[in-house]
């Protein structure tokens, strides 16, 4: 007659199973954080582009009269947005991250 009780080996495997789950959850949380930062960066880039669109004239490379000013200004606003988001942003990334994690928990 087979025993219904788990073997000693099964008990030793429990921490490994638990650690695997924790590692998977940490990876999902990190990915959610990155996605939140990317979303915030895109939002900030749009806001900064609108802000820079109101700047009139200017003869420098980023000015409205400069050669390729619109192109270089878009690179600059994207870089500003990325740096602001990496430095803590304005709080959108945290909300997006929490929402992504909440949705993942509901689906699992």
């Amino acid at each position: 007659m087979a025993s219904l009780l788990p073997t000693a080996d099964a008990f030793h495997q429990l921490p490994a199973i638990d650690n695997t789950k924790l590692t998977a959850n940490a990876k999902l949380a990190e990915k959610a954080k990155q996605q939140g930062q990317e979303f915030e960066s895109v939002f900030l880039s749009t806001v900064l582009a609108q802000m820079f669109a109101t700047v009139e004239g200017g003869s420098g490379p980023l000015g409205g009269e400069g050669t390729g000013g619109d192109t270089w200004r878009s690179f600059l606003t994207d870089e500003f947005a990325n740096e602001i988001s990496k430095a803590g942003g304005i709080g959108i990334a945290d909300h997006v991250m929490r929402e992504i994690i909440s949705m993942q928990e509901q689906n699992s």
Side-chain angles (χ1 to χ4, degrees):
M1 182 167 144
S3 173
L4 297 176
L5 296 175
T7 64
D9 289 337
F11 285 117
H12 291 294
Q13 292 175 358
L14 286 177
I17 293 170
D18 192 40
N19 286 339
T20 304
K21 187 174 181 179
L22 288 176
T23 303
N25 287 342
K27 287 180 183 178
L28 289 174
E30 182 61 32
K31 187 171 183 177
K33 180 180 177 181
Q34 289 174 348
Q35 290 172 335
Q37 282 183 337
E38 287 175 17
F39 180 85
E40 184 175 55
S41 181
V42 170
F43 173 79
L44 287 170
S45 182
T46 303
V47 169
L48 291 171
Q50 292 298 314
M51 181 185 76
F52 280 119
T54 63
V55 176
E56 295 180 14
S59 60
L62 298 176
E65 298 170 9
T67 306
D70 290 336
T71 303
W72 290 110
R73 202 170 323 138
S74 71
F75 288 131
L76 181 65
T77 56
D78 288 345
E79 220 27 63
F80 279 157
N82 287 334
E83 290 302 314
I84 291 170
S85 184
K86 286 180 189 174
I90 57 175
I92 294 173
D94 291 336
H95 291 289
V96 171
M97 180 185 72
R98 279 189 239 125
E99 190 61 31
I100 290 171
I101 291 172
S102 173
M103 290 169 56
Q104 288 174 345
E105 288 173 350
Q106 289 174 359
N107 291 333
S108 59

